Amino acid sequence: MYISKRIDLLFMLACCLWLPAAAAAQLPVRTDVPVLCYHNIFTDEAHRNNIYFISRNRLNEQLKALADSGYHTILPDQLTAYLTRGIALPPKPIMITFDDTRAAHFHIAAPLLQQYGFKAVFFIMTVAIGKPGYMSATEIKQLNTAGHVIGAHTWDHPYLNPGGKMDWIKQLRQPKQTLEQITGKPVEYFAYPFGEWNDVIIRELAAAGYKAAFQLSGSASPGKPLYTIRRIMPDGNWTGPVLQAQLKRVFARKAS
């Protein structure tokens, strides 16, 4: 009798613990919040613009267009609260992210963001910290202190191929710890190198304590929407109006 009641109690507890996780796994894949992903910023106007490179002037033009059109930047905590609990977002929400730890993110992008009252997410490849052309630990901390979010982007940007051996401690756990030591805050968000993801990586991310992860323009996983949040890379050739047109096309429900 006692054993039977105990089994029933354990079963009820297990159900209580399981239901939220199951519910989260069944979250709708919402692609209506624009998330932008920038990489390299340059000041030499002779450099060619493309999806990986954008000039300071063109970045300024794109950010100004967003500000003038009433967009409000949000951060990952807000996005995950919206996706999991339906917590309301500000009008015309948008998330701006920067990958790869580039020094230009601190020296060029951050002042522009401040000019327009925007906040962003900086995904850090930790092997590059302090190297020429990349941000220092002090600069990363300053970004975080200014209200931006610091996320992880692995140690050295590998192809996360499930067919080969991967040192998950080196690529997922140690970068998280390094960035938490720098910022003094939890690091709970991750960006996939090259936008690659799979079920193995998602499992390792969850085990390492990441709450959500960002890919690029691929299809989100119906079962793991928080670990396959979509981003687009604005082309450095896009003017402000063209960027907005692209947002309306790709994220029509919220970007109009």
Side-chain angles (χ1 to χ4, degrees):
M1 182 73 172
Y2 172 76
I3 293 176
S4 176
K5 288 183 177 180
R6 187 174 182 181
I7 291 174
D8 290 342
L9 178 60
L10 289 174
F11 177 78
M12 291 174 63
L13 288 172
C15 289
C16 292
L17 292 172
W18 176 82
L19 283 173
Q26 297 301 318
L27 287 173
V29 179
R30 300 182 180 181
T31 59
D32 53 3
V33 177
V35 184
L36 308 181
C37 174
Y38 292 98
H39 288 83
N40 302 281
I41 310 166
F42 62 91
T43 56
D44 179 6
E45 293 305 316
H47 199 291
R48 178 177 294 182
N49 282 293
N50 55 40
I51 61 172
Y52 287 105
F53 289 88
I54 188 169
S55 70
R56 181 206 177 277
N57 290 342
R58 184 51 54 84
L59 177 62
N60 178 57
E61 182 181 348
Q62 291 185 2
L63 295 178
K64 184 178 186 301
L66 295 174
D68 290 347
S69 298
Y71 281 89
H72 297 82
T73 52
I74 63 169
L75 295 174
D77 282 349
Q78 293 170 278
L79 181 59
T80 56
Y82 164 69
L83 291 173
T84 58
R85 293 178 284 140
I87 302 299
L89 295 173
K92 299 188 80 168
I94 193 166
M95 186 180 296
I96 301 173
T97 71
F98 296 86
D99 286 7
D100 297 346
T101 328
R102 302 289 181 179
H105 297 168
F106 180 83
H107 295 289
I108 298 177
L112 290 176
L113 292 167
Q114 183 176 5
Q115 178 179 336
Y116 297 110
F118 288 165
K119 300 299 181 186
V121 188
F122 295 85
F123 288 109
I124 305 300
M125 177 177 59
T126 52
V127 69
I129 296 174
K131 293 185 177 179
Y134 294 90
M135 286 191 281
S136 67
T138 299
E139 290 167 343
I140 292 169
K141 183 173 178 61
Q142 288 178 9
L143 288 175
N144 192 238
T145 301
H148 303 290
V149 168
I150 301 301
H153 197 40
T154 70
W155 181 66
D156 63 350
H157 209 282
Y159 286 99
L160 299 177
N161 187 342
K165 292 184 178 180
M166 183 62 60
D167 188 340
W168 298 114
I169 293 176
K170 182 178 183 179
Q171 299 295 346
L172 302 185
R173 295 177 182 264
Q174 290 179 353
K176 186 177 192 298
Q177 294 169 0
T178 297
L179 294 171
E180 288 176 343
Q181 290 171 358
I182 290 172
T183 63
K185 298 177 183 178
V187 171
E188 300 174 314
Y189 301 100
F190 181 86
Y192 299 105
F194 310 104
E196 295 181 332
W197 62 270
N198 54 64
D199 290 339
V200 174
I201 300 165
I202 290 175
R203 183 176 67 244
E204 295 293 340
L205 284 170
Y210 291 97
K211 290 169 58 175
F214 294 78
Q215 56 159 321
L216 290 175
S217 58
S219 298
S221 167
K224 301 290 184 180
L226 292 182
Y227 289 94
T228 53
I229 298 172
R230 227 164 34 114
R231 301 185 291 171
I232 64 168
M233 296 193 294
D235 195 308
N237 290 300
W238 292 352
T239 62
V242 171
L243 172 62
Q244 293 185 78
Q246 291 294 327
L247 294 182
K248 289 178 180 179
R249 180 182 68 83
V250 180
F251 303 99
R253 288 174 56 195
K254 282 289 184 179
S256 59

